[in-house]
Amino acid sequence: MRLLLICVGRSKPGPERDLAARYIERAGAAGRSVGFTGVDLCELDESRARRAEDRKAEEAKAIRARLPPGAEVIAFDERGKTLSSRDFARHLGQSRDHGIGAAALIIGGPDGLAPDLRAGAALALSFGAMTFPHQLARIMAAEQIYRVATILAGHPYHRD
């Protein structure tokens, strides 16, 4: 199963971008042993529309254009549910085992995700009740992808 992290907004050079890239690289290496054929980061431009609803709609269109056919969509959204890392690993492992070819994990822009995109996701996840900057959300998502791969591989990175 291919994993794709789709983020609205482009990272500027610096430690945040480097850290996210490092976790994605690690996830790609660790994921090969558990049936993840690749982990890719896709950055999309933020919409410049005036109204938040229009921005979210334009960004949703751009996200949909990048979704692989038949991909399971997992939305990171403040209204999503919280899962433990083990439960998230279990979810992705089951998706892989059911023959889903790709999972697209999406992070919206500053205004969030369009309601129809969020509602159409197979799973909506939240990092908790607190609000985090976009760059930290990207790093946390990338780290969780790496953690999922290590959990599924039985690697000691994750400790209960």
Side-chain angles (χ1 to χ4, degrees):
M1 179 167 72
R2 179 176 160 222
L3 301 176
L4 181 62
L5 179 58
I6 301 175
C7 303
V8 175
R10 300 200 180 266
S11 292
K12 294 175 179 64
E16 295 91 353
R17 183 169 80 177
D18 294 345
L19 185 56
R22 186 166 56 208
Y23 279 123
I24 288 169
E25 182 180 327
R26 286 179 179 176
R32 282 191 289 276
S33 69
V34 295
F36 295 149
T37 58
V39 180
D40 299 311
L41 173 65
C42 175
E43 294 181 316
L44 303 173
D45 290 328
E46 290 179 31
S47 169
R48 296 195 184 278
R50 288 183 170 239
R51 296 179 340 119
E53 295 80 20
D54 296 337
R55 285 191 298 272
K56 289 190 280 189
E58 285 181 12
E59 292 166 357
K61 183 178 179 182
I63 289 168
R64 284 188 185 98
R66 299 307 288 263
L67 294 175
E72 176 181 62
V73 175
I74 298 171
F76 287 102
D77 184 87
E78 64 186 4
R79 289 167 291 273
K81 63 179 163 178
T82 57
L83 288 181
S84 70
S85 295
R86 284 208 180 275
D87 287 339
F88 187 40
R90 191 172 300 113
H91 176 88
L92 284 177
Q94 288 173 346
S95 296
R96 174 205 59 203
D97 294 346
H98 285 85
I100 293 175
L105 295 83
I106 59 175
I107 299 174
D111 299 304
L113 294 167
D116 62 325
L117 183 61
R118 184 179 59 249
L123 180 63
L125 292 176
S126 171
F127 288 119
M130 293 181 176
T131 301
F132 294 98
H134 186 79
Q135 292 302 323
L136 283 182
R138 182 182 305 211
I139 292 166
M140 291 171 14
E143 192 279 338
Q144 284 301 297
I145 294 168
Y146 171 60
R147 186 173 296 272
V148 161
T150 62
I151 288 169
L152 294 174
H155 186 278
Y157 176 77
H158 180 77
R159 293 170 174 79
D160 285 316

